[in-house]
Amino acid sequence: MKKSLILALLLMGFTGTLAQVIMIRELLVTFYGNELSIGIILGNWLILEAAGSFFLGRIANKPERSVDAYVALQFAIAIFLPLAVYGARVAKTMLGIPVGEMVGLFPVFYSSLLLLAPLSLADGAKFTIGCRIYSNLTKETAHSIARVYIYEAIGAVIGGVLLAFLIIPHFHSIEVALGVGGLNLISAILLITLFKKSFLPKLRANHRFGVSFLSRSAYFLLVGIILLASTGYVLFSPKADEIHNLSTHTQWQGYDLQYYQNSNYGNIAVTKRGEEFTFYSDGIPIATAPHPDEAFVEELAHLPMLFHYSPRKVLIVGGGIGGLINEVVKHPVEKVDYAELDPLIIEAAHSFATPLTEFELSNPRVAVHYLDGRLFMSRSQECYDVIIINLPSPSTLQLNRFYTKEFFEMAEVALNRDGILAVTCPGSLSYMGEELANLNACVYRTLHDIFPYVRAIPGETNLFLASPSTGISTVQDALLVQRLQDRALKTRLLTDFHIRYKLDKARANWLLNSLDQVPEGRINQDLSPSGLFYDISLWSALVSHRFEGVFKLMGKANLWVFLIPLAIFMVAFFAVRRRIPKLGAASVAVTIVTTGFAGMAFDMVLILAFQSLYGYVYQMIALLTAVFMVGLAIGSTMMTRIMSRVTNNRSLLIKLESLILAYSILVPVILVVFHSHLGEPVIFALVQAVILFLSLVSGVLVGSEFPLANKIYLKGRGRVGKVAGGLYACDLLGAWVGALAVSIWLIPVLGIVNTCILIACLKVVSLVLVVTSRL
């Protein structure tokens, strides 16, 4: 019986991880997600989970209903998870929003809230009720909560590892949802069967209660068997693929969908119109063949190449297929290296080959490298004449890494003396709004911080050319026209007239004047990704005008904006607590909220640091998260063993808070040291090991505090359900604030160092509250 309960608790963590990840991925494809929409979706999941844990904790206090309630929640997940995946795919169709149209913040918020509500509420409630069942079974209080917390963490580790290395590459989301649902149904049936036997002696003592329990259990058992049989039939028959195909074609209504596949890096889709194929990554078009966007492709390829007197070696980062490579190899190049992160994009290009893509990928001068662009540049010993960055704007932390000072430093090292780096940015030919000007000024000034010569070429997409050599600043349109003719380039739109139009001095001066009017802004850096914030602000201004003022205020924030309210909160808390002594225990709840925030913040900081220092490698990012969860389990296990021998719980909590405070100060110091010595091979080799170790320590510290807080709150009383639900909700509440604030505001505006200082200040507040309280 205990083994079946432990299996159910492990499955709780496993289910939560898989459900969260596949729903976020599906919603991001539907809403073309950036870091803001990721924060909104993840925030909705966490706050709903907190609500489920807190408000359903009262149900868990009734022992006779605990198992039934847990089983009912497993049934709910098995039913609603496939429905939620289907709903995420058809959401835009139901809202009447055409494919390709940008979606505002409010539709992203309420759509994800409604779709996630049944799953998140059930997932949060399962923890509270699971604690009550385990406590009833083992006759433990605080230790039972700690063990449930540990089992959930272990299940999450298993789920994360299997998801990254096995599930995503081989199964579509409908299959995953059905499979997870089936596992929950099997667990539910085991719980009903085994726990029903344990209650048989009570039937003779209480006939009325026994009949009620038997009939309810028999009913649940029948429902579970029917649901399991139905789920198994759909999963192991062609029905699962039929549902998958129906949902994806509804999602792409009006398009002839030819291909839809998930990879570790995103979702790849291919549509067909006549003989034309369009390739999408997470719902965003990235290439069209055999007839690409010729104006964009020819400008991006030929203008940098023509500015160089003799381009022989070229590096393309992202977006090479669908015309760019074809245009580049028209020049007398000897070698083109093409770094493409997602192999599935190239696989799709081979599967739906056109004469254009076949020529590009089979050209003997082209070498395709399935690698993160930054990682490739750090490993490559080549020096290039031209480097072309063809990536979307810095809308996520991962993309922003290609617009930072550190990346431009890497590019300068990878360029020959007269080499040219080409970077694009959203533009306008008529009006440069504040948000658009801020983004362009950020990229332009960051380039100028590294390269002495930067040339801006305005358009619907602005093109910035940067070089360590003075050549790009002295080249005139006549020389480019001459090189176009000398190289006998066959182009459709890039004519003599078009070159003169693009290099018109009046247009270039208008763009530079617009950027000069932007107040002195931040340089975009790995550890202070201001470019991400400016891009999110631009996106918000385009889709949700009502939030323009909010983002302007957010952009002006500094550390004092957060520290002053913290000080006011602490003083107010002291004043209220003096009048109401019972609020002393609330200090522990505040501690758990701040630790939940810190845990989420540390996770994001370390992932960003790893991506910036090393490169984007999905398996390693998944491993970082798994290591954090392992640390969580280790910390909880250690504390569970220690606290049974400790009598002064407050002293132990103070020591733990002090360790988290010290850690939050130590992390930015280590990261800054790594950044300052990144060019040294020994330091670079240590990056992975040290960041993984930091992630483990973070998990240990965060995981240690939750069991101890539960012991302090319980004090020998048997309110396991309420205490577990309340403190788990506090933990998730802190994580919710972290999910919304850290990636889209704190890190981009304050930077990693100041964000860690803010975490330290939060822990100072919670530490002072604990030190001065009577627990």
Side-chain angles (χ1 to χ4, degrees):
M1 186 165 57
K2 185 177 179 180
K3 290 182 179 179
S4 67
L5 178 57
I6 291 173
L7 177 63
L9 297 175
L10 290 169
L11 187 59
M12 174 174 62
F14 180 86
T15 300
T17 298
L18 266 66
Q20 184 184 112
V21 172
I22 65 171
M23 286 304 301
I24 289 176
R25 288 171 66 101
E26 292 294 336
L27 288 166
L28 288 181
V29 174
T30 299
F31 296 122
Y32 315 132
N34 57 17
E35 206 70 37
L36 179 56
S37 51
I38 293 172
I40 290 171
I41 296 166
L42 180 57
N44 278 341
W45 177 279
L46 292 170
I47 198 66
L48 287 167
E49 197 172 9
S53 175
F54 183 79
F55 291 109
L56 294 179
R58 295 172 183 254
I59 297 174
N61 275 330
K62 298 181 179 181
E64 69 274 12
R65 294 185 179 179
S66 297
V67 175
D68 291 346
Y70 197 93
V71 167
L73 292 171
Q74 289 184 305
F75 287 174
I77 288 175
I79 294 169
F80 284 109
L81 183 54
L83 292 176
V85 172
Y86 192 95
R89 291 179 176 178
V90 303
K92 287 186 71 173
T93 303
M94 294 175 66
L95 293 171
I97 301 173
V99 175
E101 184 175 316
M102 297 180 73
V103 182
L105 294 179
F106 190 60
V108 173
F109 171 76
Y110 71 72
S111 298
S112 61
L113 188 73
L114 291 174
L115 286 168
L116 295 175
L119 300 172
S120 303
L121 290 169
D123 194 49
K126 280 169 66 180
F127 179 84
T128 306
I129 298 173
C131 290
R132 183 60 175 174
I133 298 171
Y134 198 91
S135 177
N136 291 337
L137 189 64
T138 61
K139 308 305 178 186
E140 297 175 341
T141 52
H143 284 74
S144 67
I145 300 174
R147 295 191 190 281
V148 171
Y149 193 67
I150 293 167
Y151 292 135
E152 184 194 33
I154 294 172
V157 171
I158 297 170
V161 173
L162 289 180
L163 191 70
F165 294 94
L166 176 65
I167 295 173
I168 288 178
H170 298 101
F171 302 96
H172 56 68
S173 295
I174 295 292
E175 290 174 324
V176 176
L178 290 168
V180 171
L183 290 174
N184 275 271
L185 292 170
I186 293 171
S187 172
I189 290 171
L190 287 173
L191 287 177
I192 295 168
T193 306
L194 295 175
F195 272 81
K196 174 183 172 181
K197 291 179 180 178
S198 70
F199 282 114
L200 282 177
K202 294 186 179 181
L203 299 183
R204 299 185 184 94
N206 190 331
H207 178 72
R208 183 180 177 185
F209 169 68
V211 172
S212 174
F213 182 81
L214 268 179
S215 61
R216 189 163 56 242
S217 298
Y219 172 75
F220 277 152
L221 185 61
L222 179 62
V223 171
I225 292 172
I226 293 172
L227 286 174
L228 181 60
S230 302
T231 300
Y233 168 72
V234 175
L235 179 60
F236 296 109
S237 72
K239 293 293 181 183
D241 289 333
E242 291 175 10
I243 295 171
H244 168 71
N245 292 331
L246 176 63
S247 62
T248 54
H249 281 82
T250 305
Q251 183 179 28
W252 292 85
Q253 195 171 41
Y255 289 76
D256 183 7
L257 185 66
Q258 298 287 308
Y259 182 86
Y260 187 98
Q261 187 69 41
N262 286 322
S263 76
N264 283 335
Y265 303 99
N267 172 269
I268 305 300
V270 181
T271 62
K272 184 179 181 182
R273 185 175 182 180
E275 297 302 316
E276 195 89 356
F277 292 100
T278 302
F279 300 81
Y280 298 82
S281 176
D282 286 336
I284 300 172
I286 56 172
T288 302
H291 305 294
D293 180 352
E294 292 176 331
F296 173 79
V297 167
E298 290 189 357
E299 288 177 7
L300 181 58
H302 295 303
L303 289 177
M305 299 292 284
L306 290 171
F307 264 91
H308 197 282
Y309 59 88
S310 180
R312 299 298 177 187
K313 294 183 179 180
V314 179
L315 170 63
I316 298 173
V317 177
I321 63 167
L324 185 57
I325 293 175
N326 179 59
E327 299 301 323
V328 167
V329 296
K330 290 179 180 179
H331 295 261
V333 296
E334 297 172 355
K335 182 180 181 181
V336 177
D337 284 320
Y338 169 34
E340 179 57 68
L341 177 63
D342 195 343
L344 201 60
I345 294 175
I346 307 302
E347 180 184 315
H350 282 301
S351 300
F352 301 93
T354 66
L356 173 64
T357 54
E358 281 188 336
F359 171 77
E360 289 177 322
L361 296 176
S362 62
N363 193 296
R365 291 178 291 173
V366 177
V368 181
H369 307 273
Y370 302 116
L371 209 59
D372 173 78
R374 282 188 65 150
L375 184 57
F376 175 78
M377 286 176 64
S378 66
R379 290 180 176 179
S380 176
Q381 300 299 314
E382 292 280 2
C383 284
Y384 298 96
D385 299 307
V386 177
I387 298 175
I388 300 174
I389 310 300
N390 186 22
L391 292 169
S393 60
S395 58
T396 66
L397 288 168
Q398 191 261 327
L399 286 170
N400 185 75
R401 300 175 305 115
F402 294 94
Y403 297 86
T404 62
K405 176 181 177 180
E406 291 82 0
F407 174 72
F408 295 152
E409 287 175 338
M410 294 174 64
E412 184 190 33
V413 172
L415 285 170
N416 287 319
R417 187 172 183 179
D418 298 318
I420 296 171
L421 171 67
V423 180
T424 61
C425 205
S428 173
L429 293 173
S430 56
Y431 172 71
M432 185 72 70
E434 181 179 342
E435 293 81 10
L436 185 60
N438 286 338
L439 177 60
N440 277 270
C442 178
V443 174
Y444 180 75
R445 290 169 183 173
T446 304
L447 278 167
H448 239 312
D449 201 53
I450 302 302
F451 293 94
Y453 304 99
V454 181
R455 187 150 182 176
I457 302 176
E460 291 295 338
T461 300
N462 292 330
L463 179 62
F464 295 113
L465 304 181
S467 176
S469 168
T470 186
I472 61 168
S473 59
T474 58
V475 168
Q476 302 298 318
D477 53 9
L479 180 56
L480 263 64
V481 170
Q482 184 62 49
R483 288 174 179 171
L484 179 71
Q485 296 169 353
D486 291 345
R487 297 177 191 176
L489 300 178
K490 296 181 180 179
T491 58
R492 290 174 61 86
L493 297 178
L494 198 77
T495 60
D496 301 1
F497 171 79
H498 192 76
I499 290 176
R500 294 189 179 95
Y501 168 73
K502 291 296 294 183
L503 300 187
D504 178 66
K505 289 184 179 179
R507 296 173 68 251
N509 289 335
W510 171 80
L511 174 58
L512 293 176
N513 288 335
S514 299
L515 302 185
D516 287 340
Q517 292 174 14
V518 176
E520 186 174 351
R522 305 177 182 91
I523 297 297
N524 194 23
Q525 301 178 66
D526 284 347
L527 301 185
S528 185
S530 53
L532 168 63
F533 179 78
Y534 291 132
D535 191 90
I536 291 175
S537 299
L538 174 61
W539 178 80
S540 176
L542 293 173
V543 301
S544 302
H545 296 289
R546 69 188 75 174
F547 293 102
E548 285 184 49
V550 174
F551 278 94
K552 288 178 182 178
L553 290 174
M554 289 169 61
K556 296 176 182 178
N558 56 38
L559 197 56
W560 289 107
V561 171
F562 301 95
L563 296 185
I564 292 173
L566 267 180
I568 294 173
F569 167 79
M570 187 165 64
V571 172
F573 191 91
F574 279 140
V576 174
R577 192 176 65 184
R578 181 172 293 181
R579 293 190 175 187
I580 310 175
K582 289 183 178 181
L583 279 180
S587 303
V588 179
V590 173
T591 299
I592 292 299
V593 172
T594 58
T595 300
F597 176 88
M600 178 64 72
F602 289 146
D603 201 30
M604 291 184 175
V605 163
L606 292 174
I607 288 175
L608 171 61
F610 180 86
Q611 290 182 158
S612 301
L613 293 167
Y614 186 75
Y616 186 86
V617 183
Y618 183 86
Q619 282 81 2
M620 287 302 299
I621 304 302
L623 184 60
L624 268 174
T625 304
V627 166
F628 176 83
M629 297 304 296
V630 168
L632 210 67
I634 292 173
S636 301
T637 303
M638 289 171 55
M639 183 54 66
T640 303
R641 294 179 178 178
I642 292 171
M643 66 186 188
S644 60
R645 302 191 298 267
V646 172
T647 55
N648 192 338
N649 297 316
R650 188 179 71 164
S651 175
L652 185 57
L653 183 59
I654 289 171
K655 292 175 183 177
L656 194 53
E657 282 285 282
S658 301
L659 285 173
I660 297 175
L661 172 60
Y663 177 83
S664 61
I665 296 171
L666 184 63
V667 166
V669 173
I670 294 174
L671 296 181
V672 169
V673 169
F674 270 127
H675 249 76
S676 61
H677 296 87
L678 191 57
E680 301 174 17
V682 175
I683 295 295
F684 190 81
L686 285 174
V687 167
Q688 293 186 63
V690 171
I691 293 184
L692 284 171
F693 177 73
L694 288 174
S695 186
L696 180 69
V697 173
S698 174
V700 170
L701 293 173
V702 172
S704 298
E705 198 162 87
F706 188 76
L708 181 59
N710 279 278
K711 183 185 177 185
I712 293 172
Y713 249 98
L714 283 167
K715 295 181 182 178
R717 290 169 289 185
R719 301 175 298 148
V720 171
K722 286 186 177 181
V723 171
L727 289 181
Y728 192 61
C730 289
D731 186 27
L732 293 171
L733 179 63
W736 169 69
V737 176
L740 286 176
V742 173
S743 63
I744 64 174
W745 188 13
L746 298 182
I747 291 178
V749 175
L750 299 183
I752 281 181
V753 173
N754 282 335
T755 297
C756 290
I757 291 173
L758 178 60
I759 297 170
C761 292
L762 280 170
K763 298 315 293 179
V764 167
V765 170
S766 61
L767 178 60
V768 171
L769 293 180
V770 171
V771 169
T772 58
S773 64
R774 294 181 179 179
L775 300 179

